[in-house]
């Protein structure tokens, strides 16, 4: 196995990079790093400083949650509902993290405790303060799991999830074995998967460096930069860390030095003196057992998500083309496995989706339709793209510095090429401009590595200017991470009463009934009965506010009732239509300003008084009206 040791400052590059050691570095090695050989381990009191500091931050964060006022959420989302102590906890954990990375002392695994605190603050806050799982689209995955728990078999004709059921079978088995209901598992998936993904990023980067400082720095940047919410209760959230484990295992079989590159001209182009933080090949991962484990991991990714194995396969193929891993034939095996599974899913995929969609429109920025949004929301919307731009610029800075100023080109060459793979695949994928976010996620671990090499590389002298630049870069990413993660929480938060209304609809309405919510940001398809209802699982649920002609009646409650009646009459199928109103609808109106709030409330009163709409269910502020009976 690769030895995980703290790299002393003097170093030089190898096949994945390097630079020559300086006299300053050699002096630093003698004066600052020899204590690592003392073997005192956790008996050293200083080793407990970081865990205790992280524990104090966690205590501050937990106490701050008592001051959360969800009713005060506005255009800045959850940020306006959080107390000052929450922000102090976030700032404190970032400060501790940065001080540790920028200090002259060796970095030990006590820093993992700080990362646990950071993940808790960013991703467990909503798990603790929300009644039900975050994001309306989480509930369609809950419905698939409940279907499997009732039937323990898939029906490939239902939807794409039944053609890639690996994640859903795993959760169904876990829920059955532990007795924990699926909704509770979904409630805590985001912080758990965020931690597992961070661990997978750290482990995968062990195939590029043994420096804990660089690896923890990259994990910090990755966690702050991962704003897209793909660590929620979803198959891609499960497939992503598995993909990193497969890729990391492959990288750990590459020989160090110029012999690690497949093409001689690369070794001729760059200098390859020995680099102290380059990992040696792992005996296990070069063995048959290691290869078998990589194949098993890839199989799990293949059966869990349609896009992830394709990106992973492309990245692995490039690694085998550029470098010399122990098992260069693995991409052939992976292609065969992917084709074998796709053959099973092909009838459904070919009849339902456009498998390829080439064009520059796939990289156009996604649009958010707003009319008169709450103050601050339009500004907050720029945080996410600005965060991606900052990550891109820092990566560019790190790459240029490595190539032209620091003679470290081999260290960043392979990570940059691996990061470019998903970016290129965006042009041909069928997800539309949503694919940008998938590509960003798969590229982010390697972008974070390049940035961390520039900010925290131990081969470079620790000048005050360098510390200041590193601190400012991380602080900027952290500052942008907050609105990027939390500005849309008015619609990302789901009301328990809306979930109850959807469950009643799927469990009690006649088969073939149609759900018509006011907004598509509604928790639909949340039970095992979801295939029996309309729209069909392969068709998106459109809300009243997204239908053509809504803007023309949005200012007149009476006209909107008539518009809703016409929408009921034109829905697919012949069964009754159930109009869903509730907190999700009001939150959508408030945040996006699609109509005046007083007009929406007048519409609620008007539809309740209309004889063509029969109240079928009510809980709290959530109500279902039956029309087209």
């Amino acid at each position: 196995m690769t030895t995980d040791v703290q790299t002393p400052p003097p170093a030089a590059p190898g096949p994945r990079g390097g630079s020559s050691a300086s006299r300053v570095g050699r002096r630093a090695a003698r004066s600052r790093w020899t204590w690592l050989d003392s073997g005192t381990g956790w008996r050293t009191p200083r080793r407990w400083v970081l865990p205790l500091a992280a524990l104090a931050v966690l205590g501050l964060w937990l106490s701050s949650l008592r001051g959360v006022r969800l009713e005060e959420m506005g255009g800045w989302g959850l940020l306006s509902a959080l107390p000052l102590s929450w922000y102090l906890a976030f700032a404190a954990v970032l400060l501790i993290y940065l001080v540790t990375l920028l200090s002259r002392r060796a970095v030990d695994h006590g820093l993992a405790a700080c990362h646990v605190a950071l993940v808790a603050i960013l991703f467990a806050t909503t798990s603790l303060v929300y009644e039900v799982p975050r994001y309306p689209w989480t509930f369609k995955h809950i419905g698939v799991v409940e279907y499997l728990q009732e039937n323990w078999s898939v029906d490939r004709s239902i939807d794409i999830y039944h053609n890639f059921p690996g994640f859903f079978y795993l959760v169904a088995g876990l829920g059955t074995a532990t007795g924990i209901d699926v909704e509770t598992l979904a409630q805590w998936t985001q912080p758990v998967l965020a931690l597992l993904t961070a661990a997978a990023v750290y482990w995968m980067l062990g195939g590029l460096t043994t420096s804990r400082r660089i690896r923890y720095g990259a994990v910090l940047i990755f966690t702050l930069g991962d704003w897209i919410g793909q660590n929620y209760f979803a198959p891609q959230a499960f497939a992503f860390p598995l993909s990193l484990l497969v890729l990391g295992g492959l990288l750990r079989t590459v020989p160090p030095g110029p012999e690690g590159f497949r093409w001689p001209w690369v070794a001729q182009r760059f200098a390859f003196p020995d680099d102290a933080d380059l990992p040696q090949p792992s005996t296990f991962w070069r063995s048959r057992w290691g290869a078998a484990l990589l194949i098993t991991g890839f199989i799990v990714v293949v059966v869990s998500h349609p896009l992830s194995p394709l990106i992973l396969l492309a990245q692995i193929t490039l690694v085998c083309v550029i470098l010399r891993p122990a098992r260069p034939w693995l991409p052939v095996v992976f292609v065969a496995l992917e084709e074998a599974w796709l053959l099973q899913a092909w009838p459904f995929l070919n009849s339902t989706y456009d498998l390829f969609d080439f064009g520059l429109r796939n990289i156009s920025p996604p649009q958010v339709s707003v009319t008169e949004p709450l103050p601050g929301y339009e500004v907050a919307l720029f945080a996410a793209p600005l965060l991606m731009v900052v990550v891109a610029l820092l990566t560019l800075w790190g790459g240029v510095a490595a190539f032209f100023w620091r003679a470290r080109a081999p260290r960043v060459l392979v990570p940059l090429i691996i990061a470019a793979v998903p970016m290129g695949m965006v042009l041909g994928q069928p997800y539309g401009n949503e694919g940008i976010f998938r590509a960003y996620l798969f590229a982010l671990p390697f972008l974070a590595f390049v940035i961390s090499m520039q900010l925290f590389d131990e081969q470079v002298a620790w000048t005050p200017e360098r510390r200041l630049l590193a601190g400012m870069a991380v602080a900027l990413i952290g500052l942008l991470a907050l609105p990027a993660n939390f500005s849309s929480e008015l619609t990302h938060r789901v009301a328990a009463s809306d979930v109850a209304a959807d469950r009643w609809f799927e469990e009690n309405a006649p088969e073939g009934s149609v759900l018509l919510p006011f907004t598509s940001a509604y928790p639909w398809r949340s039970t095992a009965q979801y295939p029996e209802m309309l729209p069909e699982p392969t068709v998106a649920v459109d809300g009243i506010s997204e239908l053509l002609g809504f803007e023309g009646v949005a200012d007149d409650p009476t006209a909107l009732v008539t518009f809703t009646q016409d929408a009921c009459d034109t829905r697919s199928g012949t069964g009754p239509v159930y109009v869903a109103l509730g907190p999700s609808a009001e939150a959508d109106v408030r945040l996006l300003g699609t109509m005046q709030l007083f007009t929406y409330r007048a519409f609620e009163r008007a539809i309740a008084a209309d004889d063509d709409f029969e109240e079928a269910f009510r809980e709290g502020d959530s109500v279902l009206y039956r029309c087209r009976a």
Side-chain angles (χ1 to χ4, degrees), residues 268-595:
Q268 296 169 4
R269 173 65 178 83
F270 303 108
F272 289 97
D274 291 335
D275 198 333
D277 74 322
L278 277 175
Q280 296 297 313
S282 165
T283 301
F284 173 78
W285 292 106
R286 293 175 67 88
S287 69
R288 293 178 181 178
W289 289 107
L293 190 56
L294 293 180
I295 292 171
T296 302
F298 186 80
I299 290 173
V300 177
V301 175
V302 165
V303 302
S304 298
H305 192 241
L307 181 62
S308 297
L310 297 177
I311 296 178
L312 176 59
L313 180 58
Q315 290 177 322
I316 285 175
T317 302
L318 264 180
V319 168
C320 292
V321 168
I322 299 171
L323 302 176
R324 294 177 59 247
R327 313 283 177 176
W329 44 261
L330 278 175
V332 178
V333 176
F334 291 166
V335 168
L337 292 170
E338 175 71 2
E339 288 183 350
W341 188 259
L342 284 180
L343 283 175
Q344 307 298 314
W346 185 257
F348 175 83
L349 295 174
N350 192 44
S351 64
T352 310
Y353 297 103
D354 295 324
L355 300 181
F356 300 99
D357 185 13
F358 295 94
L360 294 177
R361 61 184 174 277
N362 289 333
I363 59 175
S364 62
Q367 302 296 314
V368 178
S369 177
V370 296
T371 307
E372 295 182 12
L374 286 175
Y377 184 58
E378 287 182 292
V379 177
L381 282 177
F382 284 99
L386 186 56
L387 176 56
M388 296 171 70
V389 168
V390 169
V391 169
L393 291 176
L394 288 173
T395 304
L396 179 62
W397 174 43
V400 170
F403 270 82
F404 297 105
W405 301 329
R406 298 173 52 199
R408 307 298 301 282
R411 297 306 302 268
V412 301
L413 178 63
V414 173
L416 287 175
I417 292 175
I418 296 175
V421 170
M423 297 297 186
M425 294 180 69
V426 168
L427 295 173
Q429 48 78 42
Y431 285 84
N433 49 23
E434 182 187 345
I436 297 175
F437 304 143
R438 308 289 176 90
Y440 172 75
L441 178 65
F442 271 84
L444 186 57
F446 304 96
L447 304 181
F449 172 77
V450 174
I451 296 170
S452 186
M453 281 282 295
Q454 177 65 14
L455 298 182
F456 307 116
D457 187 2
E458 295 156 328
Q459 317 302 327
V460 183
W462 289 107
T463 64
E465 294 79 9
R466 185 183 173 213
R467 285 193 174 94
L468 179 61
L469 283 174
M472 290 176 61
V474 173
L476 179 59
I477 294 174
L479 182 64
L480 292 172
L482 295 182
N485 275 284
F486 297 120
S487 63
S488 297
E489 288 305 302
L490 264 179
T491 54
H492 289 172
R493 180 195 178 200
V494 179
S497 58
D498 278 346
V499 176
D502 179 72
R503 296 189 70 89
W504 183 94
F505 164 75
E506 294 177 14
E507 293 172 348
N508 296 278
E511 183 175 346
S513 296
V514 183
L515 179 67
L516 180 59
F518 186 84
T519 171
S520 59
Y522 188 82
W524 31 270
R525 297 171 182 160
S526 60
T527 72
Q529 289 72 39
Y530 80 95
E532 303 171 4
M533 302 302 176
L534 296 176
E536 296 178 352
T538 56
V539 179
V541 175
D542 289 324
I544 295 171
S545 61
E546 288 111 27
L547 297 178
L548 185 64
F550 172 80
E551 292 183 1
V553 298
D555 294 330
D556 187 342
T558 303
L560 186 53
V561 171
T562 303
F563 178 83
T564 303
Q565 180 65 65
D566 293 340
C568 289
D569 294 338
T570 56
R571 293 304 91 189
S572 59
T574 58
V577 177
Y578 289 79
V579 176
L581 303 180
S584 62
E586 183 165 322
D588 188 80
V589 167
R590 286 184 59 209
L591 182 63
L592 304 181
T594 50
M595 61 190 298

Side-chain angles (χ1 to χ4, degrees), residues 30-306:
R30 291 192 297 268
S31 61
R32 296 183 222 136
W33 304 88
T34 52
W35 67 273
L36 283 174
D37 298 326
S38 63
T40 54
W42 284 96
R43 288 176 294 173
T44 304
R46 191 177 64 81
R47 293 291 185 94
W48 291 99
V49 171
L50 285 176
L52 291 175
L55 190 62
V57 169
L58 283 172
L60 177 61
W61 164 68
L62 285 171
S63 66
S64 75
L65 298 183
R66 293 178 295 180
V68 176
R69 300 289 181 265
L70 295 179
E71 67 277 5
E72 295 181 9
M73 283 201 293
W76 288 94
L78 188 61
L79 298 181
S80 56
L82 296 171
L84 177 61
S85 53
W86 188 94
Y87 292 97
L88 291 176
F90 177 71
V93 74
L94 272 190
L95 182 62
I96 296 168
Y97 218 127
L98 269 175
V99 168
T100 304
L101 291 176
L102 296 176
S103 71
R104 295 174 180 266
R105 293 183 179 275
V107 173
D108 59 51
H109 288 307
L111 194 55
C114 289
H115 202 84
V116 171
L118 176 64
V119 167
I121 292 169
L122 285 178
F123 300 110
T125 294
T126 54
S127 298
L128 285 169
V129 301
Y130 291 174
E131 292 181 272
V132 295
R134 191 183 185 192
Y135 304 127
W137 46 89
T138 296
F139 291 85
K140 60 183 179 180
H141 300 148
I142 292 177
V144 178
V145 174
E146 292 194 1
Y147 179 95
L148 290 180
Q149 287 181 324
E150 284 195 10
N151 300 280
W152 291 109
S153 64
V154 296
D155 182 347
R156 290 183 178 272
S157 66
I158 291 178
D159 56 26
I160 196 167
Y161 300 130
H162 283 250
N163 288 272
F164 296 88
F167 165 78
F168 301 108
Y169 267 123
L170 176 66
V171 178
L174 179 63
T176 301
T178 62
I180 303 174
D181 66 274
V182 184
E183 194 171 294
T184 301
L185 291 173
Q187 181 88 344
W188 289 98
T189 294
Q190 198 164 18
V192 171
L193 280 182
L195 275 177
L196 291 178
T197 302
V201 170
Y202 181 89
W203 186 86
M204 183 273 298
L205 292 179
L208 298 172
T209 178
T210 60
S211 169
R212 294 176 186 170
R213 194 181 306 274
I214 293 175
R215 292 163 75 184
Y216 273 113
V219 171
L220 171 63
I221 294 167
F222 171 85
T223 300
L224 292 176
D226 180 18
W227 65 271
I228 59 178
Q230 288 299 300
N231 49 15
Y232 77 110
F233 188 75
Q236 64 267 28
F238 170 68
F240 178 62
L242 275 180
S243 299
L244 294 177
L245 293 177
V246 174
L247 195 53
L250 186 68
L251 288 171
R252 288 166 185 256
T253 69
V254 177
E259 64 270 20
F261 279 90
R262 187 168 298 280
W263 308 103
W265 65 267
V266 178
Q268 296 169 4
R269 173 65 178 83
F270 303 108
F272 289 97
D274 291 335
D275 198 333
D277 74 322
L278 277 175
Q280 296 297 313
S282 165
T283 301
F284 173 78
W285 292 106
R286 293 175 67 88
S287 69
R288 293 178 181 178
W289 289 107
L293 190 56
L294 293 180
I295 292 171
T296 302
F298 186 80
I299 290 173
V300 177
V301 175
V302 165
V303 302
S304 298
H305 192 241

